[in-house]
């Protein structure tokens, strides 16, 4: 059972988590017409009394864009104000995961996005490692990642996560930790909730934004960090075979952070991952507020506690 933060943001204010409840007739519950975000916040390890949020502006922007794709209005400022209020109400003292969610809150039927009320909520929970930092086993999913022409894949649209859920459960049922999904063109897309990188001959390679991926914020950060470290980064279609012969294969995401793939199907992959390790320690230093150069990626919310 998750440890939830005591207060949620719900219907425009902070309320006790137990009181943040929706009706059985809530439109989004039936049609998947919502969009969410996911961000981590940690207590400031250097100057206690505040929480550090990684790339909060990017997360707020992606959520605002996701809302726009669902024909709803949600400004980045509204997201940031609610996040701030929610953190002040909870005054967390441990690392947490924040889940903002915009959804069609009207009661009743008929799939649509016009003439419908929407609401915006946030709740939080304690979250340790989502995937083992030592490496995960993956299978190639029998499910295919959706296409942008049938669903707005630039948004984190709730309904889209049926494919992720099927892929994840299929992977676990067959003895693996995670699933890798191919796109409809037969190229590698991403995992159930993470982007994918490989290293070949010193180059960092990742499927481009035209490969039906979610435009991950960790992915964009890793690309920028790698370039800053003088590493060649190439965004291009990735074939399945490349995964088996790559020097390093790893996943990135807010929940997963940077997690290596140690086994793919029945093949054990290389356990020597110098590039991934370098990127991971850089990212950890940044998220903990220990890296001056990337200090602008961190938002500090002062809680005065
Ligand atoms: N792909 C999918 C399908 C996801 O749900 C996530 C998690 N948000 C990611 C990739 C990674 O994105 P981010 O780095 O922004 O968390």
């Amino acid at each position: 059972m998750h440890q939830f933060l005591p207060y949620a943001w719900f219907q425009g204010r902070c309320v006790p988590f137990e009181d943040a409840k929706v009706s059985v007739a809530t439109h989004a519950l039936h049609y998947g017409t919502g969009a969410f975000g996911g961000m981590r916040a940690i207590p400031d390890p250097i100057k206690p009394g505040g929480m550090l949020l990684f790339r909060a502006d990017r997360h707020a922007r992606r959520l605002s864009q996701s809302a726009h794709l669902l024909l709803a209005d949600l400004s980045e400022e509204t997201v940031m104000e609610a996040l701030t209020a929610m953190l002040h109400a909870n005054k967390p003292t441990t690392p947490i995961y924040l889940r903002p969610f915009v959804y069609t809150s009207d009661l009743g039927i008929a799939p649509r996005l016009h003439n419908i009320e929407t609401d915006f909520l946030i709740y939080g929970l304690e979250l340790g490692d989502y995937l083992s930092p030592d490496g995960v086993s993956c299978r190639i999913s029998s499910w295919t990642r959706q296409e942008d022409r049938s669903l707005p894949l630039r948004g984190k649209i709730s309904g889209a996560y049926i494919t992720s859920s099927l892929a994840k459960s299929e992977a676990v049922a067959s003895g693996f930790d995670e699933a890798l999904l191919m796109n409809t063109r037969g190229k590698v897309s991403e995992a159930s909730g993470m982007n994918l990188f490989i290293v070949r001959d010193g180059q960092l390679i990742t499927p481009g934004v035209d490969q039906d991926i979610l435009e991950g914020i960790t992915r964009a950060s890793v690309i920028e960090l790698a370039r800053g470290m003088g590493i060649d980064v190439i965004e291009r279609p990735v074939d399945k075979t490349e995964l088996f012969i790559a020097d390093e294969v790893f996943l990135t995401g807010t929940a997963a952070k940077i997690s290596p793939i140690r086994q793919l199907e029945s093949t054990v992959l290389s356990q020597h991952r110098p590039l991934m390790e370098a990127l991971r320690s850089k990212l950890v230093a940044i998220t903990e507020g220990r890296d001056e150069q990337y200090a602008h990626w961190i938002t500090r919310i002062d809680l005065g506690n």
Side-chain angles (χ1 to χ4, degrees):
M1 186 58 183
H2 292 299
Q3 190 63 44
F4 295 104
L5 294 189
Y7 290 95
W9 180 264
F10 187 58
Q11 298 175 338
R13 63 199 178 93
C14 285
V15 300
F17 177 75
E18 301 74 35
D19 297 343
K21 297 236 167 72
V22 297
S23 160
V24 291
T26 302
H27 187 268
L29 191 60
H30 298 259
Y31 298 112
T33 41
F36 59 90
M39 45 204 303
R40 283 183 184 269
I42 61 161
D44 187 339
I46 297 167
K47 189 166 165 262
M51 293 297 279
L52 304 184
L53 278 66
F54 179 70
R55 309 208 81 174
D57 54 337
R58 290 290 190 114
H59 282 278
R61 195 201 311 167
R62 186 171 66 192
L63 188 61
S64 173
Q65 288 172 345
S66 296
H68 182 66
L69 291 167
L70 291 178
L71 315 185
D73 260 338
L74 178 68
S75 71
E76 295 169 44
E77 294 74 32
T78 304
V79 176
M80 285 312 298
E81 280 166 22
L83 277 171
T84 308
M86 207 255 180
L87 286 172
H88 275 282
N90 285 291
K91 297 200 187 309
T93 52
T94 55
I96 54 163
Y97 181 82
L98 294 162
R99 171 50 62 86
F101 183 51
V102 55
Y103 65 105
T104 52
S105 51
D106 249 21
L107 307 188
I109 60 166
R112 68 184 192 285
L113 293 165
H114 64 283
N115 292 343
I116 197 153
E117 265 179 30
T118 57
D119 190 29
F120 168 56
L121 60 80
I122 310 173
Y123 72 90
L125 48 92
E126 288 180 13
L127 187 69
D129 287 327
Y130 181 79
L131 293 180
S132 165
D134 301 330
V136 293
S137 61
C138 288
R139 68 165 280 176
I140 309 282
S141 185
S142 75
W143 296 97
T144 303
R145 171 74 175 161
Q146 305 98 330
E147 291 184 274
D148 192 73
R149 64 181 163 174
S150 53
L151 200 90
L153 295 181
R154 263 67 179 178
K156 273 176 75 72
I157 310 295
S158 307
Y161 281 81
I162 187 69
T163 310
S164 292
S165 306
L166 286 165
K168 177 84 180 185
S169 290
E170 177 189 64
V172 171
S174 43
F176 295 87
D177 302 314
E178 234 333 296
L180 295 185
L181 289 95
M182 312 296 273
N183 61 25
T184 51
R185 285 161 279 174
K187 303 294 178 183
V188 178
S189 181
E190 59 180 7
S192 71
M194 309 101 208
N195 294 111
L196 175 131
F197 284 85
I198 63 174
V199 178
R200 295 192 65 189
D201 299 325
Q203 287 180 324
L204 187 62
I205 302 163
T206 192
V209 291
D210 59 350
Q211 294 301 304
D212 296 324
I213 61 168
L214 179 79
E215 295 185 6
I217 293 164
T218 321
R219 173 187 180 277
S221 306
V222 163
I223 290 174
E224 204 174 322
L225 288 179
R227 292 204 167 119
M229 290 158 76
I231 298 157
D232 230 3
V233 184
I234 305 171
E235 297 180 66
R236 64 154 173 82
V238 171
D239 281 318
K240 179 173 106 175
T241 314
E242 296 189 270
L243 303 175
F244 292 100
I245 56 169
D247 303 318
E248 303 182 37
V249 187
F250 61 90
L251 302 172
T252 65
T254 299
K257 301 177 185 170
I258 296 183
S259 302
I261 300 184
R262 59 172 172 76
Q263 183 188 336
L264 180 61
E265 298 283 344
S266 53
T267 305
V268 175
L269 305 182
S270 159
Q271 313 289 306
H272 179 62
R273 313 176 188 101
L275 215 152
M276 186 215 74
E277 295 293 354
L279 287 164
R280 182 153 69 178
S281 48
K282 185 93 179 148
L283 196 66
V284 169
I286 295 169
T287 53
E288 291 180 357
R290 290 188 279 109
D291 191 307
E292 274 301 308
Q293 195 190 346
Y294 292 95
H296 58 287
W297 284 3
I298 301 297
T299 302
R300 185 178 191 280
I301 310 269
D302 191 357
L303 300 180
N305 56 348

